[in-house]
Structure formats: C-alpha cells, structure tokens
Amino acid sequence: GNSVTQMEGPVTLSEEAFLTINCTYTATGYPSLFWYVQYPGEGLQLLLKATKADDKGSNKGFEATYRKETTSFHLEKGSVQVSDSAVYFCALSAVSGNTPLVFGKGTRLSVIA
Amino acid sequence: DVKVTQSSRYLVKRTGEKVFLECVQDMDHENMFWYRQDPGLGLRLIYFSYDVKMKEKGDIPEGYSVSREKKERFSLILESASTNQTSMYLCASRVSYEQYFGPGTRLTVT
C-alpha cells in the first residue's frame, strides 16, 4: 500500500541555518505530494504541494521538488526563522478516488535565536 | 477562506461517558475526516465520509463511531470513553486533493 516516511525529529537549528527535512514515499501510480505544517496549538495547514514529477512546490521560502526517480519530496528552506518552529508533515494523495491522504509521522522543528 | 470549526478546543470527560466531538465546514466539501494525533504516532485516521450518511472506517475505528446527517457536519462519538482515548482529535474536510483542518480538540479522559 501507499506510505510516507519522513526523518524523525526533533530537529533543532539556529536562526538563519539551512533546513532539510527528508521525505520518501511508496505509492502505485503518480500520487500528488504535500507538506503540511502545524504551529503550536493549531491544526495542520497546507504549506506546499506538487502534483507531478519534477514539479517544485514553494511557499513562505520553503521548497520541495517531486523526484519520481528517488521517490522523494524533501522540504528545504535556505534561512529558517524562530517563527518556523512547528511540526512538519509530508503526505501523499493517491491518483484516483476519494482515498484519504497518507501522512508521515511528522518532524518537529525548533529554531533558536 | 475555507473554515473548519470544531466544537471545543479542550474537553475533560470521565471514563464511561458518551462523548460527542462536532466538526463543521463551510465550503460544501463532500469528504470529511477524523484523525487522532499522539506523540510519536503522528496522525491516525479514525473514520471518514464521502457524502451524507456515508462513512468508512479508517485505521483505528475501534471504540468510535461517526454521524453525518448533513453535508457540513461530521460528528465523532466515543460511546464509552476510556483513558486510552485521551488525545488530540483533528477534523478535516477536503476538495480534490487539498485537505483543510480544524484547530483540534484536546480530549482528556480521567
């Protein structure tokens, strides 16, 4: 079946450091891929998405590229801020039907000043 | 903006009580979902619904039931709450492949 594996946290970085959170997936066909972010005390919100191979999703300085050959969708940001401290979830959506999103377990990021 | 609201942010219930968690979305989405979120386990799908009066079991339906009498409202029911159901509960609705989440209900069962 479909699955998502993302790096375990927590990840602690200093402000302005470079961020990478790894995400790999297993799926049949060509799924859509997502990164969701959960700030403290809130629900999840969509950060970025990519719907086909080689697409790059970007938002708020974050980027991720859909790599079919390596089945990966790693999240990157060139210079993190304290306000980026949150839990990040990688997810995929199967190609067809109403099947629910499949989520990774989440990676907690803490950015210190 | 899409809005998904949940009836309570924090809830404390006693073991054995019947508990209702309500979720309402305002964008006429057909698909709605209930998850629980626990440290180290991520999000786990409890139930979902494709349409009014339809429901499907997720990964961990035991001890829960759901109700969807109207398109905008999806209720999660704990028939007899137990301490192992202490958790954060997240509701979501979906159009196409994009999913929108409510703020969550932190339920404590004592």
Side-chain angles (χ1 to χ4, degrees):
Chain A
N2 299 333
S3 66
V4 173
T5 302
Q6 60 182 107
M7 62 187 287
E8 293 190 23
V11 174
T12 303
L13 295 173
S14 297
E15 211 165 20
E16 299 184 2
F18 184 86
L19 168 71
T20 300
I21 300 178
N22 289 337
C23 172
T24 57
Y25 67 89
T26 302
T28 53
Y30 301 94
S32 295
L33 301 172
F34 309 87
W35 278 100
Y36 281 79
V37 59
Q38 184 181 31
Y39 297 105
E42 299 182 12
L44 281 70
Q45 55 186 272
L46 181 65
L47 180 60
L48 53 84
K49 66 178 185 281
T51 57
K52 61 182 187 296
D54 300 324
D55 265 3
K56 177 185 282 188
S58 61
N59 186 24
K60 300 181 180 180
F62 291 89
E63 292 182 340
T65 301
Y66 187 165
R67 301 282 188 206
K68 182 175 178 297
E69 63 277 11
T70 55
T71 61
S72 65
F73 192 55
H74 304 321
L75 182 68
E76 297 181 336
K77 187 175 185 183
S79 176
V80 293
Q81 305 300 311
V82 172
S83 57
D84 293 327
S85 298
V87 181
Y88 293 83
F89 293 88
C90 185
L92 71 80
S93 175
V95 175
S96 61
N98 289 317
T99 52
L101 295 185
V102 177
F103 286 89
K105 290 189 175 182
T107 302
R108 181 175 297 279
L109 170 66
S110 295
V111 181
I112 54 177
Chain B
D1 273 355
V2 175
K3 193 156 188 174
V4 180
T5 56
Q6 296 184 227
S7 49
S8 305
R9 292 299 299 270
Y10 299 94
L11 207 53
V12 180
K13 295 292 181 181
R14 295 190 181 276
T15 301
E17 279 193 80
K18 190 168 186 175
V19 181
F20 292 86
L21 302 182
E22 306 286 342
C23 175
V24 178
Q25 50 96 1
D26 65 358
M27 284 301 292
D28 203 36
H29 291 169
E30 292 184 346
N31 300 326
M32 296 188 74
F33 307 85
W34 275 107
Y35 297 85
R36 62 177 284 177
Q37 183 179 15
D38 300 286
L41 298 177
L43 293 173
R44 292 183 291 169
L45 182 64
I46 305 171
Y47 268 96
F48 57 105
S49 170
Y50 295 139
D51 203 346
V52 176
K53 297 193 186 295
M54 295 184 68
K55 60 184 179 184
E56 297 281 345
K57 292 180 180 180
D59 300 319
I60 51 163
E62 296 78 20
Y64 303 94
S65 62
V66 290
S67 171
R68 191 150 181 218
E69 296 295 319
K70 294 185 178 181
K71 195 173 188 178
E72 67 270 19
R73 187 180 297 270
F74 191 36
S75 303
L76 180 70
I77 303 157
L78 287 66
E79 294 289 343
S80 177
S82 63
T83 54
N84 63 13
Q85 293 178 309
T86 291
S87 186
M88 170 71 84
Y89 290 87
L90 292 167
C91 175
S93 71
R94 177 170 156 185
V95 60
S96 182
Y97 47 70
E98 194 157 334
Q99 203 153 298
Y100 299 86
F101 284 82
T105 295
R106 186 166 293 282
L107 172 67
T108 302
V109 183
T110 62

